[in-house]
Amino acid sequence: MPLLNEGKNEEEKSWAMRWYAVRNRVKEQFGERPDINALLFIIGMNEVGIVKDKWEKEEKQDLMHVALCKLMSTEGYYELLGLDGDGWPVYEPVKGVPKLPLKEQDELLKRKIIEYFEAL
């Protein structure tokens, strides 16, 4: 991937290749290479432990929220309190997530997603 890595340092190249590997891994399982939102949805389903063909819009948003809380809990921003009556994880904010420019938010999420999938 020389063109995609042009001008990047070794660490950035490593993250780019790992991101590519995660997306390909998911593509092999689901048939399409996912974007960040699809990966958050998949992480949410994995954390909740429920897989079904159809999700309501609100459920999809809740799954993505669970995923974000799970990913950011590794940085100390959220703490898992336990499960609610339906078996869904309940997180509590511990400290405010920093306000980052959009590109930096995107990179942080990608890195946390990479770490999540590599730990599976």
Side-chain angles (χ1 to χ4, degrees), residues 1-119:
M1 294 179 33
L3 290 178
L4 295 178
N5 287 323
E6 202 168 289
K8 292 183 179 181
N9 65 37
E10 290 305 312
E11 182 182 11
E12 291 170 325
K13 288 177 186 177
S14 172
W15 282 109
M17 293 303 291
R18 291 164 68 193
W19 174 245
Y20 185 77
V22 165
R23 292 181 71 211
N24 276 341
R25 176 179 170 187
V26 173
K27 179 185 176 190
E28 289 172 8
Q29 287 186 293
F30 295 96
E32 291 183 34
R33 187 172 296 133
D35 62 9
I36 288 178
N37 288 331
L39 289 166
L40 290 173
F41 181 73
I42 291 166
I43 292 169
M45 281 195 304
N46 192 54
E47 290 302 308
V48 171
I50 300 171
V51 176
K52 58 184 186 179
D53 291 332
K54 281 284 195 187
W55 292 91
E56 299 295 323
K57 182 179 179 180
E58 187 176 320
E59 289 176 317
K60 290 178 184 178
Q61 292 171 340
D62 290 346
L63 286 169
M64 292 173 75
H65 177 73
V66 166
L68 285 169
C69 291
K70 170 64 179 176
L71 296 174
M72 298 309 286
S73 70
T74 63
E75 296 292 321
Y77 294 108
Y78 289 91
E79 180 180 346
L80 178 63
L81 297 179
L83 304 176
D84 68 11
D86 295 323
W88 284 55
V90 176
Y91 286 89
E92 177 179 69
V94 176
K95 60 183 180 179
V97 178
K99 303 274 188 228
L100 299 171
L102 196 53
K103 185 176 180 178
E104 289 179 38
Q105 285 179 20
D106 192 55
E107 287 302 313
L108 175 61
L109 268 180
K110 284 180 181 179
R111 289 178 183 221
K112 301 314 295 175
I113 290 168
I114 291 165
E115 291 170 0
Y116 181 88
F117 277 93
E118 288 179 346

